Amino acid sequence: MTDDQQTAHGIDLETLEGFAEHAAEEPEAVQLGLGASATYEGTAAHSLAKIDSYELGGETIARDTREYTIPYGGWKEVLEAGGWIGATDRLEPVEAALSALAACINVGITINAAANGVDIDHLQTRVRTDFDPAVLFSLKELKEADSAFKNLTAEVEIDGEDLDQDQIDEWARRAPVYTLVSLAQDVEMTIATPAEAAGAD
């Protein structure tokens, strides 16, 4: 990249630099609040997920064009074997999580590549895992949940100029979804019945 080049990876570099400086000076201004919901559709394992509005620096942003809906389900052959009637293929939530991880690793790499003047000609990330559904079907105790996934791998195929493998690895690990799936954390779960929800109004 030449010194007079003002854009890289589809980003105006001057604006990116200003955004980074603003985030460093006022971190609360760029904090994000994100959410989604999933409504059961009457067939086990089938839900219609919707992406919620989001918050940026304390301001709620909602647009009709961001009201994405995703019909989740499972694999036709697995559902048929389990007794599902009229089983059809749908995007399965674990696969969605894996695709989100792959895409987010690309996010971590490309944003940092743009900020550091690194050109990328080709980038593809493949994520795979072995999944044992025994805990899901209550064939194993919940305390054995950490046995559900084994051999989680991410293979980054990248081509460009002045690439440093250690640097690419670090950028990949900066991806938010990588953090979500790889670091120890818990989900604060709340369960509300319709009566409890009505009482809260």
Side-chain angles (χ1 to χ4, degrees):
M1 186 174 68
T2 60
D3 291 338
D4 60 351
Q5 189 173 351
Q6 297 300 310
T7 63
H9 302 280
I11 299 174
D12 181 293
L13 298 178
E14 187 176 340
T15 303
L16 177 62
E17 185 178 347
F19 178 83
E21 290 174 359
H22 179 62
E25 293 169 2
E26 298 182 51
E28 68 283 350
V30 295
Q31 297 298 305
L32 292 160
L34 308 174
S37 64
T39 304
Y40 175 56
E41 295 180 290
T43 297
H46 283 203
S47 289
L48 184 65
K50 294 187 177 183
I51 306 303
D52 290 344
S53 58
Y54 73 99
E55 293 179 4
L56 175 60
E59 177 187 351
T60 299
I61 299 174
R63 284 192 301 275
D64 290 346
T65 53
R66 290 204 86 258
E67 292 182 359
Y68 306 116
T69 57
I70 306 161
Y72 281 118
W75 312 273
K76 180 180 178 183
E77 294 79 6
V78 174
L79 297 179
E80 284 178 341
W84 271 252
I85 298 166
T88 58
D89 273 318
R90 279 189 170 194
L91 179 62
E92 200 282 330
V94 174
E95 293 173 319
L98 294 176
S99 68
L101 174 58
C104 202
I105 286 173
N106 287 356
V107 169
I109 292 171
T110 54
I111 287 178
N112 285 283
N116 288 275
V118 174
D119 288 329
I120 295 175
D121 298 322
H122 169 77
L123 172 62
Q124 184 178 53
T125 300
R126 293 182 181 88
V127 176
R128 291 199 60 83
T129 191
D130 296 323
F131 172 49
D132 178 357
V135 172
L136 170 64
F137 288 102
S138 298
L139 302 175
K140 287 185 177 179
E141 296 294 326
L142 183 57
K143 63 184 178 183
E144 297 179 84
D146 61 358
S147 70
F149 295 99
K150 292 181 180 177
N151 305 318
L152 177 59
T153 61
E155 178 185 327
V156 177
E157 184 180 288
I158 186 167
D159 188 27
E161 297 180 14
D162 303 320
L163 298 178
D164 179 284
Q165 288 191 355
D166 291 338
Q167 190 177 52
I168 300 299
D169 182 83
E170 178 192 325
W171 293 346
R173 293 173 191 276
R174 290 182 180 275
V177 177
Y178 179 91
T179 300
L180 184 65
V181 302
S182 66
L183 299 184
Q185 56 199 317
D186 199 4
V187 178
E188 186 177 325
M189 190 83 67
T190 356
I191 310 296
T193 64
E196 290 171 330
D201 292 340

